[in-house]
Amino acid sequence: MSYKDMSRGGPLEVRTRGPPFGKMPRAEQGMKRSDSIGMIEKYWNDEEEWRGYHPNACDEENKFVDAAEGKLLTVFLDYDGTLAPIVPEPDKAFMSDEMREAVRQCAKRFPTAIISGRSRQKVSQFVKLDELYYAGSHGLDIAGPKTTTDGEPIEKKLAHQPAQWARDVMDRVTKELIEKCADIPGTNIEHNMFCVSAHYRAVSEELRPRVEAVVDEICASEECLIKHDGKMVWEVRPRVAWDKGKALSYLRDALLPDLSEKGFRPEDVFTIYIGDDVTDEDAFMEINEELGDHLGVGLLVSSSPKVSAAKFSLRDSGEVLRFLTRLRELGDAGTIKTLP
C-alpha cells in the first residue's frame, strides 16, 4: 500500500511535515496495530527527504520547541535501543550512569515513565530509579512510583494489569520454548511475565527459521496467543487489545487529575514518547490518533530511514541523552513548564 492511496491528514499544527500520510491503514483481523507499518511503502528518496518528514529533534530543536513551548511535558521512554544500546546478551543491556542521571533530572521536572517489552521487574532493576512510572510486558504490567523525586515513600501506588490471566499462560509458553529450542545454539528465552521473548541474535542464519517455526507452532496451538516480530526477537504475547500506546494513554489519564490539582489543564500537558522498535509505533500512533500534534509527538530512534508514525527522530541513544539533557535546560529556562 502506498501513502498516496490514503487520505492526507491536512496541514500539521507544528512546523514539521511528519510522515506523508493521514491515518495509518487499519490492521487486518488477527494483526497487531503496529503491523500496519509494514503496509506502508517507502515514501522518501534519500535520507535528507526522510528527515524532512521526521526532523531530528536535536538538529532542528526549534521545531520541537514550537510544538511544546509553554506546556508541561509528560515523558515516556522505551528502554532497549533508547536508554541503553542493543547488545548481543539481553541480560547485559545496562544503561550508563550519565543516562540514568539524565532520566533522574527529567523526572524531577516532568512526570516520567518507562514502557518496555521486558518484565517490569527487570527493566526497573536496569533503570534503578524508584521515582518513575514503569510499564513492563509492552504495557501489560503497570506500576506507579515507589517514592517521590525527593525520596519520600508513596503509600498509595498505581497498579494495573489488564491481562492477569496471561501470566500463567506465559509460564507454560516459557517452559515449552526452552524445551523445544534446547538444541538450537544461541537461542535466549526471556520470560517477561506477561509475554515471552525468543531472542535469536546469537543464532546462526541457517538455524533462525527453526526458532521462528517453534514460536509459530506455539502461537498456533492456542487462540489466545499472538506472535510479534522485533529487533532480532520473536515474541509470544497474549491476544488482547493492549499495547504500548494503550499503556501510554492509561498513564497519561492517571496523571491528569494530580496535574490538575497542581494547576495544569489537560491542554497544558504535552506528551512525548521516545522509542526505536516497531512496538513503539503503537505509542506513536496513539499520540497521533488520540492527542494530535498540539498535545504530543513521537520521536523515533533510528540511525537510518524507515517507515514510522513518529513526527521527530533521534539517531541513537547518544542523541537521546543529549535530547533529555536539553529538556532539562529548556525546563529550567522556562521555555517549557516544569512540576512545582
Side-chain angles (χ1 to χ4, degrees):
M1 179 179 290
S2 167
Y3 73 83
K4 296 176 182 176
D5 298 326
M6 296 174 238
S7 59
R8 292 178 178 268
L12 301 180
E13 295 184 41
V14 294
R15 279 182 241 161
T16 173
R17 294 156 72 189
F21 42 78
K23 290 185 177 181
M24 299 294 296
R26 185 176 297 278
E28 297 173 1
Q29 186 173 6
M31 293 171 60
K32 300 167 294 300
R33 179 164 57 165
S34 54
D35 285 337
S36 58
I37 284 292
M39 300 165 63
I40 306 294
E41 292 180 3
K42 179 180 175 182
Y43 48 83
W44 64 92
N45 293 313
D46 53 33
E47 183 170 348
E48 182 179 359
E49 184 178 8
W50 184 84
R51 295 207 179 276
Y53 292 123
H54 309 274
N56 183 283
C58 288
D59 296 344
E60 300 185 69
E61 181 185 297
N62 63 302
K63 293 182 178 179
F64 175 80
V65 170
D66 283 347
E69 188 172 11
K71 297 185 176 77
L72 172 74
L73 299 186
T74 52
V75 179
F76 295 87
L77 303 162
D78 176 40
Y79 183 76
D80 292 279
T82 300
L83 297 181
I86 300 291
V87 295
E89 298 181 58
D91 287 340
K92 295 183 179 180
F94 304 116
M95 68 189 296
S96 67
D97 290 339
E98 189 177 12
M99 182 69 84
R100 182 173 293 104
E101 182 58 25
V103 176
R104 177 185 286 113
Q105 292 299 325
C106 191
K108 285 184 176 181
R109 293 160 176 81
F110 322 108
T112 302
I114 309 293
I115 304 182
S116 172
R118 299 217 189 218
S119 73
R120 178 172 55 82
Q121 291 83 353
K122 175 64 71 67
V123 74
S124 64
Q125 288 170 5
F126 276 137
V127 177
K128 299 178 182 177
L129 295 173
D130 289 342
E131 62 267 39
L132 304 186
Y133 293 82
Y134 288 95
S137 303
H138 299 287
L140 289 167
D141 187 10
I142 298 173
K146 294 180 181 178
T147 69
T148 66
T149 55
D150 295 324
E152 296 296 323
I154 295 177
E155 293 184 6
K156 189 177 180 180
K157 301 181 184 67
L158 176 72
H160 185 57
Q161 296 175 340
Q164 293 186 13
W165 57 266
R167 185 164 183 170
D168 290 339
V169 175
M170 295 305 157
D171 287 343
R172 186 171 68 251
V173 168
T174 301
K175 182 180 178 181
E176 190 172 354
L177 277 169
I178 291 173
E179 291 174 352
K180 292 186 175 181
C181 292
D183 62 342
I184 307 176
T187 308
N188 186 322
I189 308 302
E190 183 178 15
H191 192 333
N192 295 315
M193 295 302 171
F194 293 92
C195 59
V196 183
S197 299
H199 299 275
Y200 59 88
R201 186 177 297 274
V203 177
S204 62
E205 289 280 353
E206 61 269 21
L207 293 180
R208 288 175 182 176
R210 285 186 56 194
V211 181
E212 184 173 19
V214 171
V215 173
D216 287 340
E217 178 187 353
I218 290 173
C219 289
S221 68
E222 298 193 48
E223 192 176 349
C224 66
L225 301 177
I226 190 169
K227 170 189 166 189
H228 181 85
D229 302 340
K231 286 187 175 179
M232 294 294 185
V233 62
W234 285 296
E235 292 182 325
V236 180
R237 291 162 61 176
R239 191 185 293 272
V240 292
W242 196 267
D243 52 37
K244 288 185 174 184
K246 296 305 179 187
L248 180 149
S249 284
Y250 177 87
L251 283 167
R252 187 180 188 277
D253 289 345
L255 286 165
L256 288 178
D258 181 61
L259 294 179
S260 178
E261 292 181 4
K262 291 180 170 66
F264 297 101
R265 300 169 301 171
E267 57 266 34
D268 298 327
V269 179
F270 192 82
T271 296
I272 66 171
Y273 183 96
I274 308 177
D276 73 306
D277 207 349
V278 66
T279 60
D280 300 307
E281 294 293 335
D282 291 315
F284 301 151
M285 293 178 203
E286 186 79 6
I287 290 174
N288 294 346
E289 294 167 8
E290 301 300 325
L291 300 179
D293 304 316
H294 63 295
L295 290 178
V297 293
L299 296 91
L300 172 70
V301 182
S302 180
S303 59
S304 59
K306 61 181 181 180
V307 175
S308 178
K311 297 297 174 65
F312 287 90
S313 65
L314 296 165
R315 292 183 182 86
D316 50 34
S317 58
E319 281 201 343
V320 174
L321 173 60
R322 178 181 162 196
F323 181 71
L324 293 179
T325 301
R326 279 298 292 152
L327 293 184
R328 181 192 70 197
E329 294 168 353
L330 290 168
D332 291 349
T335 304
I336 52 180
K337 292 181 180 180
T338 60
L339 292 168

